[in-house]
Amino acid sequence: MLYIRADGNTQIGMGHVMRCLSIAEAAAALGESHKPVFLVADEGCRSMITERGFRVIVLHTDYKDMMSELSQLAKILDKEQDILLVDSYQADTVYFEAVSKLAVTVCLEDMGEPYPVDLLINYNLYAPKLKENYQIRKKKLNTLLGADYMPLRSVFQTDIDYCVKDKVTDVMITTGGSDPYFAAGAFAEAFLAAESGFYLYSGKTKQITWHIVSGPFNTFADQLKETYGQRDNVVIHEGLKDLKALMKQCDVVLTATGSTVYEVSALGVPMIAFYFAENQRQGAKALAELTDIVNAGCFGDDRESVISKAVEALKKCVDDKSYRGLLHRQERRLIDGKGAGRIANEIFRLREIRN
């Protein structure tokens, strides 16, 4: 049995759960016997997982104290039969040393920590540069590194045709599952203030429609609606079921780095990136190094600078179709959408090798 240990809530967003759901779907596609079970600390993300057809076991623990769940895991896991995939920034070396005695262990990792596991996965663009670092602890640590292993959601693997239009008429702002700094509001305010300088047709301003995605754990959702909900050219999307359709409708996407970056890239929608936390910094930097995408920087460190850079990047997108076309081509080359399947195959190969 494959068990997946991941959490999602207002503090950490939904990125961990979303990418694990992609792996879960790829595993289930290999056969009913490969369908995984999710282990979560609390009820926060249970419904999102069950809606996708997967069983969930709620541990009723503190997601920040993963060592406290070991006694429960010992009752669930079977070292001879089970595989445990862990995706959590709260898991540390001591935790992995403990769970490795309970099951074959796999982890998703972002920061270059060489955890003592049977398989370590880092799908980020910068991951291949960390190979030597991962081998510090174990010379033959089994790793899957780079965007070939990005567990893109299945919906972004088909029907991904996208055309760069002559004019920018729709712009999307997304901050992920949560928005700890109310960044969406800050960007919306800045973009609306600068809008009059974007387009001039016969002396008249042409409005852009601004699509703001309010994630499931956005604590500023009510404030967002109160401030911008009555604007005739602002659409606030809550409980969005078809993010891909909205992306394909838009001409530019402003997004926090994370899984959304790869989804946007799969379509090739011209993108502007920023980030919230240190664990996202390397991804934003690599994105700017490999493409002409603007990395506006860390919102938490210098919001005014980030907003200013984002406004200038949007102006460039609006003014220059050829630039948007360049971003489209560069983004499409970053990812092929087959990462979740590759991961699922490698995970079950671990058990075959051991047996």
Side-chain angles (χ1 to χ4, degrees):
M1 172 68 71
L2 170 61
Y3 290 91
I4 297 179
R5 178 68 187 90
D7 293 307
N9 54 47
T10 54
Q11 286 73 44
I12 60 176
M14 291 304 298
H16 300 284
V17 171
M18 293 306 294
R19 62 189 184 185
C20 285
L21 279 168
S22 296
I23 297 170
E25 290 176 343
L30 297 175
E32 186 64 26
S33 64
H34 293 76
K35 191 173 183 177
V37 173
F38 278 78
L39 305 173
V40 300
D42 52 48
E43 299 282 349
C45 59
R46 180 176 187 168
S47 61
M48 179 174 288
I49 299 170
T50 56
E51 285 173 3
R52 299 280 280 273
F54 296 99
R55 181 186 168 207
V56 177
I57 297 175
V58 180
L59 301 174
H60 298 291
T61 55
D62 181 352
Y63 81 95
K64 292 179 289 187
D65 182 14
M66 296 188 71
M67 294 299 291
S68 67
E69 68 192 38
L70 291 178
S71 60
Q72 293 188 66
L73 294 184
K75 297 175 183 178
I76 296 170
L77 300 173
D78 182 337
K79 177 69 174 177
E80 298 303 316
Q81 300 293 328
D82 295 331
I83 302 171
L84 178 66
L85 167 62
V86 180
D87 184 3
S88 172
Y89 294 138
Q90 311 304 319
D92 57 15
T93 296
V94 177
Y95 176 85
F96 282 115
E97 287 175 342
V99 295
S100 67
K101 298 174 183 177
L102 304 176
V104 174
T105 53
V106 181
C107 77
L108 284 165
E109 203 284 322
D110 290 340
M111 301 297 291
E113 289 292 332
Y115 291 124
V117 294
D118 295 286
L119 177 64
L120 183 148
I121 305 161
N122 186 336
Y123 62 77
N124 290 286
L125 294 170
Y126 57 84
K129 296 181 180 180
L130 300 174
K131 186 171 184 178
E132 290 186 6
N133 193 62
Y134 286 130
Q135 293 176 339
I136 289 175
R137 181 185 299 275
K138 185 177 178 182
K139 290 297 183 182
K140 293 184 179 181
L141 177 62
N142 194 6
T143 58
L144 303 177
L145 307 178
D148 282 349
Y149 299 99
M150 197 284 147
L152 195 69
R153 287 191 285 162
S154 58
V155 69
F156 285 93
Q157 297 173 29
T158 59
D159 184 28
I160 58 173
D161 292 337
Y162 177 83
C163 179
V164 177
K165 296 186 298 191
D166 289 337
K167 301 294 182 182
V168 172
T169 60
D170 294 82
V171 174
M172 178 174 140
I173 300 170
T174 177
T175 60
S178 60
D179 187 356
Y181 299 97
F182 196 29
F187 284 121
E189 181 179 350
F191 288 166
L192 287 164
E195 184 178 23
S196 61
F198 287 157
Y199 274 145
L200 290 175
Y201 294 126
S202 303
K204 294 182 179 180
T205 301
K206 177 179 174 61
Q207 284 188 324
I208 293 173
T209 299
W210 307 95
H211 299 270
I212 304 175
V213 179
S214 181
F217 296 128
N218 184 359
T219 56
F220 293 98
D222 290 340
Q223 187 175 342
L224 195 62
K225 287 182 286 188
E226 290 173 7
T227 307
Y228 302 104
Q230 303 306 313
R231 298 286 295 253
D232 60 1
N233 65 327
V234 175
V235 182
I236 299 173
H237 300 267
E238 288 188 291
L240 188 62
K241 297 297 184 183
D242 194 347
L243 181 62
K244 185 179 79 169
L246 179 59
M247 287 181 181
K248 293 182 75 171
Q249 178 185 339
C250 291
D251 305 294
V252 182
V253 172
L254 170 73
T255 179
T257 51
S259 298
T260 304
V261 163
Y262 296 96
E263 294 175 347
V264 176
S265 294
L267 301 175
V269 185
M271 185 191 328
I272 303 165
F274 71 98
Y275 61 99
F276 286 121
E278 177 62 21
N279 64 285
Q280 297 175 324
R281 178 185 61 80
Q282 292 184 85
K285 182 180 178 182
L287 197 63
E289 290 175 347
L290 293 170
T291 70
D292 286 83
I293 293 169
V294 170
N295 166 20
C298 181
F299 192 90
D301 288 346
D302 191 347
R303 59 183 288 151
E304 295 306 319
S305 174
V306 171
I307 292 169
S308 177
K309 290 177 182 177
V311 169
E312 289 303 311
L314 183 56
K315 283 184 178 179
K316 186 174 182 179
C317 287
V318 169
D319 291 342
D320 191 350
K321 179 187 176 183
S322 64
Y323 172 62
R324 286 185 284 120
L326 174 64
L327 295 185
H328 169 74
R329 295 189 297 274
Q330 290 176 336
E331 291 171 20
R332 288 293 293 264
R333 290 196 291 265
L334 291 177
I335 185 168
D336 67 4
K338 300 177 182 179
R342 294 186 180 108
I343 289 173
N345 284 322
E346 290 297 326
I347 285 176
F348 290 111
R349 198 167 70 88
L350 284 175
R351 190 164 60 189
E352 292 173 3
I353 291 172
R354 190 183 66 178
N355 292 340

